[in-house]
Amino acid sequence: MATFQSVLSFASAIALCVASFGCIYAHNAGFTTELVHRDSPKSPLYNSQQTHLQRLNKAMRRSVSRAHHFQRTAATVSPKEVESEIIANGGEYLMSLSLGTPPFEILAIADTGSDLIWTQCTPCDKCYKQIAPLFDPKSSKTYRDLSCDTRQCQNLGESSSCSSEQLCQYSYHYGDRSFTNGNLAVDTVTLPSTNGGPVYFPKTVIGCGRRNNGTFDKKDSGIIGLGGGPMSLISQMGSSVGGKFSYCLVPFSAESAGNSSKLHFGRNAVVSGSGVQSTPLISKTPGTFYYLTLEAMSVGDKKIEFGGSSFGGSEGNIIIDSGTSLTLFPVNFFTEFATAVENAVINGERTQDASGLLSHCYRPTPDLKVPVITAHFNGADVVLQTLNTFILISDDVLCLAFNSTQSGAIFGNVAQMNFLIGYDILGKSVSFKPTDCTQL
């Protein structure tokens, strides 16, 4: 039987959970939620009329477009303005969460390349067409608009303004001319968990969009920023998850079979055990992006030194991003790398990618042998499997899953599939562990 003191202690713990984000870290071993690829049959964005080739081509085009905007942001935008250059509908994965009390579920793009959590709200002056109902802040007991003198509003810098009621207004104009404007507010965010009940985060800063338009899809409800900036979901969770999150992306074939990728938080996100490789997470401007240091790429026994990119020469020269499919290198380095791959391929019969997006393609004959490719990060030699380095874009065309970009460099999600990848924000590291992600 519980003693009065133990009951009192439990009640105090509950009160602490309501007042702060300390609840999960202190009283929960961590939690896991689903990430659904936008082209998975589980996704509302799935188009059954499109062929596998058409879906892949669209993903490749999104990779190239997203790379341009990453570079433009890193080169020209101040930290407080970074949101204005993120592609509005460029992410590859969706996740659900709920806003308010009682919880109101939304499905939105999960984006490691942006920060703010925002959704369309009613009444809406100018909203893009959305199939799902819009969030009504008046129906939430815990919703509160933020005033202009709050720290959260000041963090937005030039992306904020004041209403006549002295309420904080955010305004983001995306690189593809999409935009979202609305009230900066706080409310309870609830995340579903695959290993228990829902997890609550009170007083989370969100954007309540009143004017939103552009290339947003009618089947999703906004963006869930998972970047490194102060407004992101990860940053706002803070010590409650120990500054840790990880994900395990299942291959395209597994997505088609109905398997989902997983996003882990807190103690569930710790990456440990045999085969783990870790590399420093580099702090740079803008703080939204996750920068790593790539030292070289190996193709079989041939090691090619990476001379850096416009993101940096020695440190922080590549971004790791879950929203970009291809791995993209500067033109000169890609040329040398792709030549090494071509020279190492055995019994390779060259063919063409019908879309013209991928340059090194082969017929997948039984006797074709492709080289082992290794990414040498600072302190971590990540050995990639064939599913990370080549994409079967049709029954008779297999292409290298790397391409060139005019500037910058991105380690894309194809290269990350079947790795458990952990981000330790406080410890400043990213870890890789080869994993069958369908088994998590």
Side-chain angles (χ1 to χ4, degrees):
M1 180 179 294
T3 64
F4 174 76
Q5 186 174 2
S6 66
V7 171
L8 185 61
S9 297
F10 178 75
S12 299
I14 294 297
L16 178 63
C17 287
V18 172
S20 72
F21 282 162
C23 177
I24 289 176
Y25 187 76
H27 300 283
N28 193 293
F31 66 100
T32 298
T33 191
E34 280 193 333
L35 279 177
V36 178
H37 194 277
R38 62 185 298 148
D39 291 329
S40 163
K42 285 188 173 183
S43 167
L45 305 183
Y46 178 75
N47 184 348
S48 61
Q49 303 301 312
Q50 289 182 344
T51 66
H52 176 65
L53 175 59
Q54 288 172 326
R55 294 188 195 104
L56 279 176
N57 283 339
K58 286 191 173 182
M60 302 308 112
R61 291 184 188 279
R62 287 193 296 269
S63 289
V64 175
S65 179
R66 189 171 169 89
H68 293 328
H69 291 289
F70 269 135
Q71 169 56 26
R72 184 178 171 189
T73 300
T76 63
V77 184
S78 73
K80 294 181 179 178
E81 296 172 318
V82 65
E83 288 286 350
S84 64
E85 294 299 327
I86 303 300
I87 297 176
N89 201 20
E92 293 297 300
Y93 291 89
L94 303 169
M95 65 180 287
S96 65
L97 57 70
S98 296
L99 300 175
T101 307
F104 180 88
E105 185 176 6
I106 68 168
L107 184 71
I109 297 290
D111 190 3
T112 54
S114 63
D115 288 331
L116 186 67
I117 308 161
W118 69 267
T119 189
Q120 297 203 112
C121 290
T122 185
C124 197
D125 299 328
K126 184 178 181 182
C127 281
Y128 64 87
K129 184 179 180 181
Q130 178 180 308
I131 294 176
L134 272 61
F135 175 60
D136 183 358
K138 291 183 179 179
S139 67
S140 172
K141 299 176 183 178
T142 47
Y143 177 92
R144 180 172 62 86
D145 288 315
L146 290 172
S147 62
C148 298
D149 59 357
T150 58
R151 171 182 52 82
Q152 296 95 326
C153 186
Q154 292 169 3
N155 279 342
L156 290 180
E158 295 181 17
S159 294
S160 68
S161 61
C162 257
S163 70
S164 57
E165 295 85 12
Q166 293 300 299
L167 296 179
C168 185
Q169 308 286 294
Y170 76 89
S171 178
Y172 291 157
H173 295 268
Y174 293 78
D176 57 2
R177 297 188 179 181
S178 299
F179 62 85
T180 175
N181 303 327
N183 289 31
L184 196 69
V186 291
D187 206 344
T188 297
V189 166
T190 304
L191 289 173
S193 174
T194 62
N195 57 336
V199 185
Y200 303 89
F201 293 91
K203 298 181 180 178
T204 302
V205 178
I206 64 170
C208 194
R210 306 288 191 179
R211 292 174 54 84
N212 325 287
N213 218 326
T215 61
F216 304 110
D217 195 286
K218 64 183 179 181
K219 294 181 180 178
D220 63 59
S221 306
I223 291 178
I224 300 170
L226 299 175
M231 294 293 189
S232 78
L233 177 63
I234 304 301
S235 296
Q236 292 194 70
M237 286 179 172
S239 61
S240 65
V241 295
K244 295 180 176 68
F245 76 100
S246 66
Y247 52 73
C248 207
L249 307 180
V250 302
F252 291 131
S253 57
E255 287 277 4
S256 300
N259 292 287
S260 294
S261 300
K262 299 296 190 297
L263 178 62
H264 311 280
F265 298 94
R267 296 180 187 177
N268 280 24
V270 174
V271 179
S272 60
S274 176
V276 175
Q277 300 269 341
S278 297
T279 186
L281 184 61
I282 306 300
S283 298
K284 297 186 73 172
T285 299
T288 298
F289 306 140
Y290 296 110
Y291 295 93
L292 306 180
T293 300
L294 181 67
E295 296 178 339
M297 294 291 295
S298 285
V299 179
D301 295 331
K302 182 177 176 58
K303 192 171 186 179
I304 308 164
E305 300 297 324
F306 186 62
S309 70
S310 58
F311 293 150
S314 55
E315 282 196 333
N317 54 27
I318 191 167
I319 287 171
I320 181 170
D321 179 46
S322 65
T324 305
S325 295
L326 298 175
T327 291
L328 302 173
F329 293 136
V331 175
N332 290 342
F333 181 82
F334 174 75
T335 300
E336 186 178 0
F337 168 75
T339 299
V341 171
E342 184 176 357
N343 292 338
V345 168
I346 298 175
N347 299 323
E349 181 185 347
R350 290 292 296 267
T351 187
Q352 298 293 319
D353 167 24
S355 71
L357 287 172
L358 300 174
S359 58
H360 287 68
C361 301
Y362 303 87
R363 296 200 181 279
T365 58
D367 56 348
L368 174 67
K369 294 182 180 180
V370 297
V372 174
I373 295 174
T374 303
H376 300 282
F377 295 102
N378 178 15
D381 296 324
V382 180
V383 181
L384 304 176
Q385 303 301 310
T386 302
L387 67 87
N388 303 121
T389 56
F390 286 84
I391 302 175
L392 189 66
I393 62 172
S394 68
D395 291 339
D396 58 354
V397 180
L398 181 74
C399 295
L400 185 65
F402 297 76
N403 213 331
S404 64
T405 180
Q406 292 300 314
S407 51
I410 299 175
F411 194 69
N413 64 46
V414 173
Q416 300 175 51
M417 290 176 178
N418 269 0
F419 282 93
L420 179 59
I421 300 179
Y423 295 69
D424 184 347
I425 308 303
L426 302 180
K428 298 291 183 184
S429 69
V430 172
S431 298
F432 299 83
K433 182 180 182 179
T435 304
D436 181 354
C437 294
T438 63
Q439 299 302 307
L440 294 182

